[in-house]
Amino acid sequence: MMERALPPSRFGQWFNTSGWRTIIIAAPYLWLTAFFFLPFLIVLAISLASNAGTSPPFQFAAEAPYVHADNFRRLISDDLFFRAYIASILNAGLTTALCLLIGYPMALALTRFSRSVRNILLMLVILPFWTSFLLRIYAWIGLMGANSWFNKGLTALYNLITPDAYALRFIPMMNTSFAVVLVMVYCYLPFMILPLYANLEKLDMTLNEAAMDLGSRPFQVFKDVTLPLSVPGIIAGGLLVFIPASGELVIPSLVGNSSTPLIGRVISDQFSYARDWPMAAAVAIALLVLLVGPMMAYTHFESRAQRRPGDDA
Amino acid sequence: MMEERARQAEDGAGFIRIENVSKSFGSFKAVDEVSLSISKGELFALLGGSGCGKTTLLRMLAGFETPDAGRIFIDGQDMAGVAPYDRPVNMMFQSYALFPHMTVEGNIGYGLKYEAMSDAERKDRVREMLELVQLTPLAGRKPHQISGGQRQRVALARALARQPKLLLLDEPLGALDKKLREHTQFELMNIQYKTGVTFVVVTHDQEEAMTLANRIAVMDKGVVRQIGSPTEIYENPKSRFVADFIGSINRFAAAIVYVKDGIAVLDCAELGQPLQARAEDGFEPGMRVTAAVRPEKITISRERPEAGNVLSAVVHDLGYFGKDSLYRLQLPTGKMISASVVNTRRAGENERIAQWDDAVFLAFDPASVILLRD
């Protein structure tokens, strides 16, 4: 009892007053700096170097300014890259749109179940993650093959509605853009459902009742209340699907058509087959700018709109 | 104003009829065989504690719940199978349920969106509503940019914009602080009078019901216990439940000994002396009853007064509330009685009629005694 407390050290004092908060806030920033920003700078630096037979296979120019933009110039001039970007963005856009179309009703339906049923259904949404990503793609390859029940069933359905003259023995699905979109929608659907569900679940049901009380039919209630209030969820889910989908490499190379290269494939080929690291880096940087640029513009305008009171009367 | 309202009410008797309506959730009977008739232009209150069925009844009027049995008529029209969006009824929600992504103007005008009317008419109606609730300068604000009281007025204007035959208000003053409540209460009555719309208010707050409504239905466990004007409910409760629920009351178990000259004399062990009450129809000698007296009907004095009922007591406790004081007094039998005294005179602490442990006399008129059947 008579023991006197040690005078607190300077660090202890600092820690107790504001230090712990600083450390907690700093931790994610340090993480982002070490594992995102620094690697990004390295990639950026490589994109400004020249291809060389050295190891690693790039070289900076011998004299100031040591860097050049030749790779970016090639990026713009070569038609191949442009087509790959367009194809990737269209592909990712279509995947995102389909995920939204399928995922929105599912997320909305989830919110209408009782809590216990809801948890089971949510589990089912997440369940596919427990199987290897590659295994699931190979499963689809099996399903799309000419002799699978899936293909046979679809073919039968197709033959039922088309004249006999156009009857098919099977539907060629493998190695088509259709296969790419189908498997991508399947793989990315949970990334759309989960943020949408999180958003829709928070919405106040009395708002729906209020709208109905004010003379709106169920679909009008959805259009006027639920849909506008779920825009943040749509954006979050859309980004979570669109961004990885636009750089997707594995799915197009396993089930896709090699004659229409997607940008992930281009980066991979430049990096491994052509051993042109600077070019691969330039393609990756350009993709990042293409994706992050519009996002930052959106955030900027969104926050400006938020700050102005009552501007959309 | 009151007379005008009474006249209006007489013209449209049975404007809203609830006939033997029941509703259960699982094994819980929320509303049990309730029948009510509400007149046109009336401000009617459904009063009761939580789980008494008042909100369920309100939601059935709005069309959000379907009665298991019974029928609801609004202006002669059977509401069975009529969806909420087709009913001539609008509701002001307890949480207000304002659309956060719409402006004040957008919220008020929302109910007119799918109405068959021209844009000019729609604009006029919204302007009219904004003026009615004095929110014209805030028309362009979003709900999160205005105060709680203003939000309440937006909710009211939004519900009135469609000119409903019936307006339902779920705890309309519940979310407001005390000062704002008093002001809003009168504003609500004023708007009801101006628009002539029939209001049905659900509340658990007896004071709110008493000041707002011209008729109150007291509900308990899905059953309507009593319907009447605020005065009837307060001064003539028909059951112990209603007597206890509205205000506070002193209760004594008693038995009627005899009735003479309009005065019933009761034997009351808890008081240790006979009790006089005004005789009422249906109460005969020999009956066991509960006699009840409201605290404010009891006067406290130092000298023995002349009155129908005089009791001696000792001050056990007293609470000073400013405008009145509440005394807890102990009778020689040990029974505790509450009496409230309005502080009509400006007096210091030592000038009160009675202090702790003072011996005093309590007096009340036989007419102040309420007889309740056990």
Side-chain angles (χ1 to χ4, degrees), chain A residues 149-179:
Chain A
W149 62 265
F150 179 71
N151 200 330
K152 278 182 178 155
L154 276 187
T155 311
L157 212 66
Y158 173 85
N159 288 341
L160 205 69
I161 52 172
T162 42
D164 282 348
Y166 298 95
L168 290 174
R169 233 165 25 81
F170 64 91
I171 299 173
M173 279 192 270
M174 270 303 292
N175 304 324
T176 60
S177 300
F178 169 78

Side-chain angles (χ1 to χ4, degrees), chain A residues 48-192:
Chain A
L48 300 171
S50 306
N51 193 15
T54 55
S55 175
F58 62 89
Q59 220 168 31
F60 288 103
E63 57 215 57
Y66 307 109
V67 291
H68 59 78
D70 284 358
N71 295 314
F72 289 97
R73 251 172 243 131
R74 211 179 114 202
L75 195 69
I76 295 164
S77 60
D78 194 334
D79 187 42
L80 167 90
F81 297 114
F82 180 72
R83 273 189 292 134
Y85 278 124
I86 294 291
S88 294
I89 283 171
L90 284 179
N91 201 43
L94 186 60
T95 303
T96 312
L98 287 173
C99 278
L100 183 64
L101 232 55
I102 300 166
Y104 200 105
M106 286 173 82
L108 196 60
L110 273 173
T111 63
R112 298 293 190 271
F113 283 101
S114 74
R115 206 147 268 287
S116 50
V117 178
R118 216 189 280 185
N119 285 340
I120 295 169
L121 293 174
L122 268 177
M123 258 269 289
L124 291 178
V125 171
I126 305 164
L127 206 61
F129 289 129
W130 292 3
T131 317
S132 154
F133 177 63
L134 274 178
L135 209 64
R136 282 183 283 144
I137 297 173
Y138 278 108
W140 270 111
I141 293 176
L143 282 178
M144 288 187 291
N147 292 319
S148 75
W149 62 265
F150 179 71
N151 200 330
K152 278 182 178 155
L154 276 187
T155 311
L157 212 66
Y158 173 85
N159 288 341
L160 205 69
I161 52 172
T162 42
D164 282 348
Y166 298 95
L168 290 174
R169 233 165 25 81
F170 64 91
I171 299 173
M173 279 192 270
M174 270 303 292
N175 304 324
T176 60
S177 300
F178 169 78
V180 176
V181 173
L182 175 72
V183 178
M184 287 209 342
V185 167
Y186 164 76
C187 287
Y188 287 115
L189 194 57
F191 296 103
M192 179 62 87

Side-chain angles (χ1 to χ4, degrees), chain A residues 209 213-214 216-217 224 310, chain B residues 59 90-91 101 110 113-114:
Chain A
E209 283 187 350
D213 186 65
L214 290 164
S216 298
R217 275 143 213 286
D224 296 336
Chain B
R59 290 175 60 81
N90 283 114
M91 179 150 163
H101 57 300
Y110 183 77
K113 192 170 171 177
Y114 302 110

